[in-house]
Amino acid sequence: MLKKILSLFCMIVFFFSSATVQGQTEKLNPEQNQLLLQLSLNYYTVVKEGRIDQDSSLLIVCRKNRLSRWPVITENFGKYTSLAKDKWIDKQQPGGITNKLGSLMGMSYLKQLVLVGAYYAFQPGYHQKDRDNATYYLSKAKQESETNHSMFWLNQTLCLLGKNHFKANRIKEGIDCFQTVIRNCQKAGDKEMEAKSWDYQGTYCPPTAATIMLKINSINKANDLYQQINQPAKQINALMNLAYLNFLMNDIKGSEAKASKALRLQNELNFPYLHYTYDLLSLISSQKTKVERGLDFELKAVKSALATKDSLGLVYFYARIGHTIYGSDKTYFSFSDYWLKKAAILFLDNRDPDIYLTIYNLTANQLESGKPNGSSALLENALKNIPAVELIEKQFAFLAKATNYESLKNYREAEKYYLLVYKMMNEGQLVTKDLRASYYKYIIGRFYFKASRYDKSKRFLEEYLASAGPKTDNLIVAADVQTYLYKIDSLQGHFESAANHLQQYITFDKQLTDSNDNKNIAGMKIQLEITQKERDLQVLKAKNTLQSQQANATRNFIYVGIAVALLIIGMLYGRYFVNKKQKQEMDKKNCLLQSVISEKDELLVSKEWLLKEVHHRVKNNLHTVICLLESQAQYLQNDALMAIENSQHRIYSMSLIHQKLYQSEDIKTVDMSLYLPEFVSYLTESFGTGNRIRFDLDIQPIKLGVSYAVPLSLIVNEAVTNSIKYAFPGNRNGQIKIQIHEVENEIMLMIADNGIGINMHEINASPASLGLKLLRGLSEDIKADFSLVNDNGTVINIKFKVEQMMYDHIT
């Protein structure tokens, strides 16, 4: 059954990993959004075993999921502030708010003091400067609350001050703040604020031996109040925190009850992020040696994380599946290796030093199974790329090396690393330090037993018993320890002690066997064997019956079968030659087609090269004409010289178009947004306007073919030249504006100046004046509507349509 579950889920995970996973479509309400943040940050803090503070966890999960810290930081008072949608908290830029405080008064001033104080109270890490800032702003808020007789803001302020005291490890001052709030709330009947106070006191009080019961009792009271005032989302968070604390205190039954109730409430709320609760229930089940149940919960955790696209804990879920399977049966090492390697690869990608626990589990698999599984290469890769800095990271790195050497029978090197772990096990301040130290003694004692060093083995195993106590929920380890001690005492002749250890082993083994999941596993194995034997007997009986009743018929079937087989072989043989001939013909046609395609590609390349060469030569020829005109201009004056210069500008406008064509990858069209600025710059230099005339260009990236680009460039040349020469007499300053836009499949060109304008009566009397004949003629060439008006200067408008094949508009 267990193998079927594993095989089925491997396929499911492969599907989810390779396909685009659709996340939850429903949008979380503000309460559920806050719950997601709290569950995520609490899980991350727990999985890091207190090596990272809760405020740093909050920042990490918010950045990973692109969520705001606002709901957690401003719990119970965020809706009363005016900056609920401001991003300064997540950008960590409080300067703008603190600078405005001096201009505020009354309640507005008080609210912003509390908000800034909350910001600093929730800053990640343990920086003295942040704590000092929090104390400064919150103390002012406390004074202002008392002045304004606002009990609501006073209670909020005291809660944040209490949290800030806890962060500085000032336990008494913190408790005093919370007890004041609790008394205020009980007197006023404010259960919501009282619940927050108990919750903050239990959540943020540093976990030590002296404070652990304070934390549990406080969160219990908060949970009761949340239930009374019907706030299920906050009750879920309180229940999960209690479940973690109960597990830490080895109250496995209490932990399971709290986590199960949290799961039930989440389902009632249709809250989709169930994986953190599933993961804890899996850990609890594994601790109770309920392997199948633990595996089922962890597989659900993976499925939930993938479905919601919440990858924060996914790598740890993979690792827990591998560890859970490993503890169940030695026949499942390959499944365990699969999940542990999946986790190790993700840890490597993230450069996460938590990889060393996973690699240790892989080396343990290798040691127990006696088969190489790649753990050595993973360990070398991790040590090379991910430094083991924290104490726990070093411990598991050393354990992995020790176990790896042990699997290679290199007991000298293995012992060196085991003893390094033993030396370090009482160091550090992790809340799980004692639990881990107890486990380290067990695995070191087991190592010495396998190395046949029984005195040392007995010493460490007895140290394990002394630290674990008479009661333990890890029945597998407890049974193992009693087995080793029984064998050691037997070998050393201590038979009375050996008998005691044997009796203890029998007790633990009976508990292990009586557990529901182990009954299921044993039952499955027995049922499988019985079913297989029954199936074999039925098959044998059926064979005998068939042999006695159908001996003659079998012979006839054989003859018919041979004949049919020969016929089929003949048909297949003929079909083979037909297919072979068809394949040869297809190969010839494919070769011919490939040859035609290659020739076509070569022709296209040649065509493009020739077109570019033509444009290059045209451009060179036009430049030659410009040079000839320039030489001729040296001998001309007045109107003749002006005509030559006008011709030079017109020819240059066409030359520049051909230059753009052969320089571009697209040899068919000219991008006007690139062409016109360069051409206008040329005119500016030619006339020497300097800074006297400013050009305002607003040109969309419109691509036009040569048949449109050339007339348009000549129109621009004529209009701009006239504006430069006549619109600004006496060297006055001015502006020339050029716009090209596409509006509803029409190209709109506007050239306008703010000069002296033109006399429309003279224009109407002499329509050939000022180059208007050329402008109108060029407009007719491209079938454009032409208009000229005097509106605070001269304004020329050109409007025309271009066929789809002649231009490309890039947005």
Side-chain angles (χ1 to χ4, degrees), residues 496-514:
E496 184 178 351
S497 177
N500 290 332
H501 289 305
L502 179 59
Q503 183 60 44
Q504 289 292 324
Y505 163 75
I506 292 171
T507 301
F508 287 127
D509 186 61
K510 186 175 184 303
Q511 294 176 24
L512 192 62
T513 305
D514 288 343

Side-chain angles (χ1 to χ4, degrees), residues 30-41:
E31 233 182 15
Q32 292 178 329
N33 189 50
Q34 181 179 344
L35 175 59
L36 172 59
L37 288 177
Q38 289 173 324
L39 292 180
S40 301
L41 78 91

Side-chain angles (χ1 to χ4, degrees), residues 702-717:
I702 298 173
K703 291 186 177 182
L704 296 174
V706 177
S707 60
Y708 288 90
V710 170
L712 208 64
S713 66
L714 291 173
I715 289 171
V716 172
N717 171 71

Side-chain angles (χ1 to χ4, degrees), residues 490-725:
S490 297
L491 289 170
Q492 294 179 343
H494 303 145
F495 299 115
E496 184 178 351
S497 177
N500 290 332
H501 289 305
L502 179 59
Q503 183 60 44
Q504 289 292 324
Y505 163 75
I506 292 171
T507 301
F508 287 127
D509 186 61
K510 186 175 184 303
Q511 294 176 24
L512 192 62
T513 305
D514 288 343
S515 67
N516 293 331
D517 283 325
N518 283 281
K519 280 184 178 180
N520 291 338
I521 293 171
M524 284 190 296
K525 290 181 179 178
I526 294 170
Q527 187 62 41
L528 181 62
E529 292 175 2
I530 293 171
T531 304
Q532 187 63 44
K533 288 178 181 178
E534 289 176 351
R535 187 179 297 129
D536 291 343
L537 288 173
Q538 290 173 357
V539 170
L540 183 60
K541 187 176 180 180
K543 284 183 179 179
N544 290 334
T545 303
L546 287 173
Q547 287 175 357
S548 62
Q549 293 182 354
Q550 299 180 355
N552 295 330
T554 302
R555 187 182 301 108
N556 294 334
F557 281 127
I558 291 173
Y559 292 151
V560 173
I562 292 173
V564 172
L566 290 173
L567 179 63
I568 292 173
I569 291 171
M571 293 172 64
L572 291 174
Y573 194 72
R575 187 62 185 169
Y576 166 77
F577 277 103
V578 171
N579 288 342
K580 185 177 181 182
K581 186 175 180 180
Q582 289 178 346
K583 185 177 181 302
Q584 289 174 348
E585 292 177 358
M586 288 293 293
D587 289 342
K588 288 180 181 178
K589 290 179 180 179
N590 286 338
C591 290
L592 182 61
L593 181 61
Q594 190 64 39
S595 175
V596 171
I597 291 172
S598 299
E599 290 176 4
K600 182 181 177 182
D601 289 340
E602 291 175 1
L603 288 172
L604 287 173
V605 172
S606 300
K607 179 183 175 182
E608 289 181 2
W609 182 85
L610 287 171
L611 282 172
K612 286 190 176 185
E613 184 64 21
V614 167
H615 286 301
H616 192 192
R617 291 179 182 274
V618 170
K619 175 254 183 184
N620 288 342
N621 291 338
L622 290 173
H623 267 276
T624 302
V625 173
I626 291 172
C627 292
L628 291 173
L629 290 173
E630 188 173 357
S631 299
Q632 187 177 2
Q634 295 177 1
Y635 304 101
L636 300 175
Q637 294 180 353
N638 301 330
D639 291 341
L641 177 60
M642 186 180 298
I644 291 295
E645 288 176 347
N646 288 339
S647 298
Q648 283 181 302
H649 296 159
R650 292 163 185 158
I651 294 170
Y652 182 83
S653 69
M654 294 185 288
S655 168
L656 185 59
I657 286 175
H658 288 285
Q659 178 180 328
K660 292 295 180 185
L661 285 171
Y662 79 76
Q663 287 178 345
S664 171
E665 291 294 326
D666 182 5
I667 60 173
K668 297 179 182 179
T669 60
V670 177
D671 190 337
M672 301 307 288
S673 66
L674 300 177
Y675 167 79
L676 283 178
E678 185 174 342
F679 180 59
V680 170
S681 177
Y682 160 76
L683 291 176
T684 303
E685 292 177 1
S686 298
F687 285 102
T689 61
N691 295 326
R692 182 173 62 85
I693 298 175
R694 182 169 62 87
F695 284 84
D696 182 5
L697 305 181
D698 181 10
I699 302 167
Q700 289 184 348
I702 298 173
K703 291 186 177 182
L704 296 174
V706 177
S707 60
Y708 288 90
V710 170
L712 208 64
S713 66
L714 291 173
I715 289 171
V716 172
N717 171 71
E718 196 68 28
V720 171
T721 299
N722 286 338
S723 292
I724 292 173
K725 287 181 177 180

Side-chain angles (χ1 to χ4, degrees), residues 344-345 347-349 351-352 355-356 359 374-388 401:
I345 290 169
F347 277 130
L348 275 174
D349 290 344
R351 300 183 66 83
D352 191 334
I355 189 175
Y356 291 109
I359 293 179
S375 57
S376 300
L378 278 170
L379 178 59
E380 290 179 10
N381 195 356
L383 290 170
K384 181 179 179 182
N385 295 291
I386 307 174
K401 290 179 76 69

Side-chain angles (χ1 to χ4, degrees), residues 55-67:
D55 297 327
S56 295
S57 293
L58 175 61
L59 184 64
I60 289 169
V61 300
C62 285
R63 286 179 174 174
K64 189 172 184 64
N65 295 319
R66 297 181 180 179
L67 297 172

